[in-house]
Amino acid sequence: MTMSDNRFGDPRIPAETITNQSHLFHLGAMAPLTFDGGNLRQASEDNFPILAGQQASAALVTLQPGAIREPHWHPSAWEINVVTAGTATWTVLDPQGNTQDFEARTGDLVFAPQGSLHYFENRGSEDLQVVIVFNASTAEGKDDIGIGAALTKLPARVLGAVFGVDAKTFDGFKKIDNSLTILRP
């Protein structure tokens, strides 16, 4: 077996051979997914083939002033966030119930562990930009569980019991099927 044969059996080494621009992805140039409050561009195995099987993806998130990245968690990925413009107000809640609230500014790095509920928002007056790197090859939305979808999948009687209120309190809540990703209050 030659050295080049080894690379096809090791999942840490891309099985794809080097081709013209196979290792370059123009993340900032791609058409964004647009939401009320901002947008998201992502490189994942769906649109950047070299990431297939690599347990890696990246997103560029822009939040307009007042916008929120929906509280969510990733059951099978952690994420590293780099604030490239603006200031983000963060909350991270770990599986043991420990909470940390803080501000992250341009140049700061934020780590959200796998399984930890987290979100950030733009309370500033300028757009907030965050580059996020995940240890999962799937696109955002396929590997996250948003708080809205999670709560609206539960019966009103269960939510009423959890929050100590009448179940009817939840009758008028909007049903959410997928992660909202970016929203406005």
Side-chain angles (χ1 to χ4, degrees):
M1 185 177 286
T2 68
M3 179 73 145
S4 64
D5 292 336
N6 289 338
R7 65 187 294 256
F8 293 104
D10 186 340
R12 294 168 296 167
I13 301 173
E16 184 174 316
T17 57
I18 294 177
T19 60
N20 185 29
Q21 303 297 319
S22 62
H23 292 73
L24 175 67
F25 187 84
H26 299 286
L27 183 63
M30 73 179 298
L33 294 173
T34 303
F35 302 89
D36 182 20
N39 61 61
L40 174 130
R41 294 170 170 88
Q42 187 162 26
S44 69
E45 64 187 6
D46 293 344
N47 59 5
F48 192 17
I50 201 158
L51 293 180
Q54 296 306 304
Q55 302 307 310
S57 61
L60 173 60
V61 175
T62 302
L63 293 185
Q64 298 162 353
I68 301 167
R69 169 60 179 105
E70 179 189 18
H72 65 286
W73 65 95
H74 303 274
S76 58
W78 49 253
E79 64 182 63
I80 293 176
N81 301 262
V82 181
V83 179
T84 59
T87 301
T89 301
W90 278 83
T91 296
V92 179
L93 172 66
D94 73 19
Q96 288 77 40
N98 302 305
T99 304
Q100 191 175 47
D101 301 303
F102 54 91
E103 282 194 352
R105 294 176 175 78
T106 301
D108 287 345
L109 188 71
V110 176
F111 181 71
Q114 178 177 331
S116 292
L117 180 71
H118 59 282
Y119 77 97
F120 58 93
E121 59 185 301
N122 182 355
R123 291 190 182 171
S125 58
E126 304 292 326
D127 281 359
L128 167 70
Q129 276 202 329
V130 179
V131 173
I132 307 171
V133 177
F134 303 90
N135 71 326
S137 300
T138 55
E140 183 78 350
K142 291 183 179 178
D143 184 55
D144 70 319
I145 300 171
I147 193 81
L151 288 177
T152 61
K153 299 290 186 219
L154 299 174
R157 65 181 159 66
V158 171
L159 291 171
V162 168
F163 292 103
V165 297
D166 190 306
K168 291 179 184 174
T169 303
F170 301 96
D171 287 346
F173 277 35
K174 171 175 78 171
K175 297 297 179 195
I176 301 169
D177 291 325
N178 299 307
S179 177
L180 298 171
T181 308
I182 297 170
L183 55 119
R184 289 193 181 279

